[in-house]
Amino acid sequence: MLNIIPQLIIGSTDLAAAFLFMYGLKRMSSPVTAPSGIMIAGLGMLVAVLASFLYAFGVDTSVKPHLLVNIGLAVAALAIGGGMAWWSGKRVAMTAMPQMVAIYNGMGGGAAAAIAAVELFGNKADGVTQLVVTLIGALIGAVSLSGSLIAWAKLDGVISKPLRIRGQQALNAVVALATLATGGYIVAVTGGMLTSPVATSGLIYIFFGCALLFGVLMTLPIGGADMPVVISIYNAFTGLAVGLEGFVLQNPALMIAGMVVGAAGLLLTLLMAKAMNRSVSNILFTNFGVVTKHKQGDIKGSLKPVDAGDAGIFMRYASSVIIVPGYGLAVAQGQQKLYEFVKLLQAAGVSVKFAVHPVAGRMPGQMDVLLAEAGVPYDMIFQLEDVNDEFANTDVALVIGANDVVNPAARTDKSSPVYGMPILNADKAKKVYVVKRGQGKGYAGIVNALFYGDNCDMVYGDAAAVLTKMIEAVRALGTKAAA
Amino acid sequence: MTMQFTMAISGFDALYIFMLAAFAGWVIIGHVPAILHTPLMSGSNFVHGIVVVGGIFALLNAGTPLEQTAGFFAVLLGAGNAAGGFAVTHRMLAMFQPSEHKPAHAKHGHHNARRSAKA
């Protein structure tokens, strides 16, 4: 049992950490206070980690001979794991953020599973409740680990296609049942209700193997477009696993932090799924990506290509412009050019706003981060519900690298796969320019009626190249006027 | 009876803690604007990095090579979760800056007081 002083210190730092996490997350709810929010949460983490070494004063006498080695191992693990993640986190490109978050999240799930492994191998559970909770936490943590790794591989392009086999659902069910059965068997054996021909440690290996396999099988068939939702679910899973292992270790800080993240992750997942017009069960258990062919109503009108420079000059003389950026902009690395163009327009007295769809980018909010990285102030960035009514009073909507999120079929065509999805009403602007690489279709693989509208002109080309031409055209105008 | 402050947390105590924490998480996140959803996801990801504390506890109490190995990985992975989550969240949030000045000839739409809160 711990001495009283270390016990007091650990207790109060954990309490402080739990408070600082919640206060920090609260401050992250506004761009103004968010940077201080993460610093506050970071401080909580730092004191909790430092204080946790005081657990050394409370170890069992049987463990005492190993204590120095264990402390050395802990310091080494902190340095290696923390150092490598810090190094990679400081270098990762903003476009690669979704897969990086997936990795870090998988690590958290793995850590929870590893804690459970220590408890299980050491047979430390005090009673059947603790054992069951340990196993559930281990299961969720292991699924989160292997599932997040698959999500990373998909987002990073290591695995490019959803892998589906015949009877996938049945196989998943069998593996899930095998995991649960092994867990139940471990409980029965440990409780003395059954005697196992296999050593308990063997059963534990089987349990973890099945859980990891289940995470892989569950994630493989899900399409790349749905990965952000999957990462969010696994984020909630890891939180839950951490909370449960916190109960096993009788540590309220872990319980609170884990469950706060579990609930937050669940809410975030639901918000994302809603913005994508999908239900969570639909994403997890049906094979998205097999685009069902649907009859497209006849679209009247034609695609009207225009010169980038002309479009740029038209916007220079408009009074208001709303820009709808999509992932195509980030692929072309055109954010900086875009903001340069916007600054030219603003200098000429044009009112410019950015309208960002909730699922623009490959992760909700990623487009906001990419714009912020290019220097766009956050008060120019507007979300769907705040800006959608303004399109009707706007001279020009400039759509760059976005497609499905501005497809009016979502409002009108009940047979369309995007029907019901909230969209940005770019088609209601007096004039629409669509910057597009080619005549291809969007993620959903359907024709966009917006492009055929009377008020819409197409500017074909790489987003960065098109923006460069627009900038040149507007600049040339300025020098002519000055001369 | 040894003198100690920590009491065993029973199953029901745990359920109360879980319920209140889940409610707190739900309410806190419910007010986050969509613009911050990516930093928020990585920020909450950072918060469950607290698992590293549990990892240190497990490793310090490990008595066999098998337990030590599992404990080592718990700390290694937990530290990665915490450090990486902090690094990317901090980087992203540092990028969000307000306008230094209002556009000189803004014609409309810039009177939205709720949006133009200054730092």
Side-chain angles (χ1 to χ4, degrees):
Chain A
M1 192 48 70
L2 269 175
N3 299 320
I4 197 148
I5 300 293
Q7 209 178 94
L8 261 178
I9 297 176
I10 292 176
S12 43
T13 50
D14 280 3
L15 181 66
F19 169 75
L20 292 172
F21 285 156
M22 288 200 278
Y23 183 55
L25 276 176
K26 180 71 200 149
R27 285 187 74 84
M28 281 188 219
S29 64
S30 152
V32 182
T33 54
S36 67
I38 183 66
M39 295 306 286
I40 288 168
L43 179 70
M45 186 72 74
L46 197 64
V47 292
V49 169
L50 290 177
S52 67
F53 277 91
L54 295 175
Y55 282 126
F57 289 104
V59 298
D60 205 69
T61 36
S62 64
V63 181
K64 282 261 164 72
H66 303 287
L67 193 56
L68 274 182
V69 176
N70 287 352
I71 291 175
L73 283 173
V75 172
L78 275 178
I80 299 170
M84 280 173 61
W86 185 268
W87 186 84
S88 62
K90 285 286 171 196
R91 269 154 197 82
V92 60
M94 285 298 146
T95 40
M97 200 50 81
Q99 50 267 49
M100 211 65 225
V101 173
I103 289 270
Y104 297 145
N105 181 54
M107 289 173 112
I115 290 172
V118 176
E119 299 296 305
L120 291 170
F121 284 130
N123 197 10
K124 297 179 183 187
D126 186 14
V128 74
T129 314
Q130 276 205 351
L131 182 61
V132 171
V133 173
T134 309
L135 285 166
I136 297 173
L139 169 63
I140 299 172
V143 167
S144 178
L145 169 65
S146 60
S148 295
L149 287 178
I150 299 295
W152 165 80
K154 287 191 173 228
L155 286 166
D156 210 50
V158 179
I159 303 173
S160 52
K161 275 184 184 164
L163 193 100
R164 298 188 185 102
I165 51 170
R166 225 181 248 276
Q168 182 105 37
Q169 311 248 12
L171 179 65
N172 288 7
V174 167
V175 175
L177 282 176
T179 317
L180 292 177
T182 315
Y185 194 60
I186 291 173
V187 174
V189 170
T190 314
M193 284 172 268
L194 294 167
T195 42
S196 167
V198 191
T200 320
S201 64
L203 291 173
I204 296 168
Y205 282 121
I206 297 172
F207 177 77
F208 278 109
C210 287
L212 289 169
L213 182 64
F214 181 64
V216 172
L217 289 175
M218 194 169 128
T219 322
L220 272 179
I222 302 172
D226 286 333
M227 274 308 132
V229 179
V230 173
I231 298 174
S232 184
I233 290 173
Y234 286 145
N235 189 32
F237 272 21
T238 302
L240 193 60
V242 171
L244 293 176
E245 296 309 329
F247 169 68
V248 173
L249 300 179
Q250 297 277 296
N251 183 323
L254 260 70
M255 293 169 70
I256 291 172
M259 204 50 65
V260 163
V261 175
L266 178 65
L267 177 59
L268 209 53
T269 308
L270 295 175
L271 287 176
M272 273 182 223
K274 198 176 150 211
M276 293 168 83
N277 200 27
R278 313 273 314 278
S279 76
V280 173
S281 68
N282 181 251
I283 288 166
L284 287 182
F285 303 117
T286 56
N287 295 339
F288 180 58
V290 191
V291 177
T292 47
K293 287 211 168 176
H294 89 108
K295 266 193 204 160
Q296 189 101 35
D298 280 340
I299 290 178
K300 294 187 178 73
S302 59
L303 294 168
K304 299 167 286 295
V306 292
D307 177 65
D310 293 346
I313 291 167
F314 187 89
M315 281 183 269
R316 155 72 180 75
Y317 287 108
S319 72
S320 55
V321 173
I322 297 181
I323 297 170
V324 181
Y327 197 68
L329 176 70
V331 172
Q333 289 293 319
Q335 305 94 293
Q336 255 88 11
K337 285 279 171 211
L338 177 60
Y339 188 45
E340 200 183 329
F341 178 61
V342 166
K343 279 191 278 194
L344 274 179
L345 293 182
Q346 285 184 319
V350 184
S351 153
V352 185
K353 286 178 182 179
F354 289 87
V356 177
H357 191 271
V359 293
R362 294 164 77 193
M363 181 168 165
Q366 193 189 7
M367 187 49 68
D368 304 283
V369 173
L370 292 170
L371 289 176
E373 187 188 21
V376 178
Y378 58 73
D379 41 36
M380 283 179 73
I381 305 172
F382 292 81
Q383 306 301 318
L384 186 135
E385 62 276 11
D386 295 320
V387 77
N388 233 359
D389 294 337
E390 290 185 30
F391 278 106
N393 302 317
T394 297
D395 292 341
V396 181
L398 174 62
V399 180
I400 305 181
N403 190 342
D404 295 330
V405 297
V406 290
N407 192 340
R411 285 198 305 260
T412 53
D413 182 0
K414 282 193 178 159
S415 67
S416 172
V418 293
Y419 179 74
M421 180 170 91
I423 58 152
L424 287 162
N425 298 330
D427 57 318
K428 295 199 171 160
K430 287 166 198 150
K431 180 89 204 162
V432 183
Y433 286 114
V434 177
V435 178
K436 234 171 146 292
R437 190 180 273 280
Q439 301 195 355
K441 294 166 183 173
Y443 240 158
I446 46 173
V447 179
N448 193 335
L450 166 73
F451 302 165
Y452 295 85
D454 288 337
N455 61 344
C456 180
D457 285 338
M458 307 295 291
V459 186
Y460 290 116
D462 173 80
V466 165
L467 286 162
T468 307
K469 278 186 205 155
M470 288 181 175
I471 292 168
E472 281 166 5
V474 174
R475 283 237 170 91
L477 219 59
T479 48
K480 256 184 258 167
Chain B
M1 193 177 137
T2 53
M3 181 125 161
Q4 57 168 47
F5 284 97
T6 48
M7 286 179 290
I9 301 167
S10 75
F12 269 104
D13 297 341
L15 288 177
Y16 279 110
I17 294 177
F18 284 152
M19 179 188 73
L20 292 171
F23 192 71
W26 187 275
V27 171
I28 290 169
I29 299 311
H31 292 288
V32 174
I35 187 173
L36 288 173
H37 273 174
T38 294
L40 178 77
M41 205 200 298
S42 75
S44 60
N45 182 36
F46 159 72
V47 166
H48 63 53
I50 187 70
V51 69
V52 67
V53 166
I56 293 172
F57 176 85
L59 176 54
L60 292 183
N61 286 286
T64 66
L66 186 59
E67 291 173 39
Q68 285 173 315
T69 310
F72 179 80
F73 277 104
V75 179
L76 185 85
L77 294 172
N81 183 179
F86 182 86
V88 295
T89 310
H90 185 250
R91 262 182 74 198
M92 282 192 276
L93 289 174
M95 288 171 186
F96 284 90
Q97 298 294 334
S99 298
E100 281 161 32
H101 55 86
K102 289 278 157 214
H105 304 283
K107 289 199 171 85
H108 62 82
H110 283 277
H111 44 72
N112 193 334
R114 190 166 58 88
R115 280 276 162 185
S116 57
K118 282 278 174 189

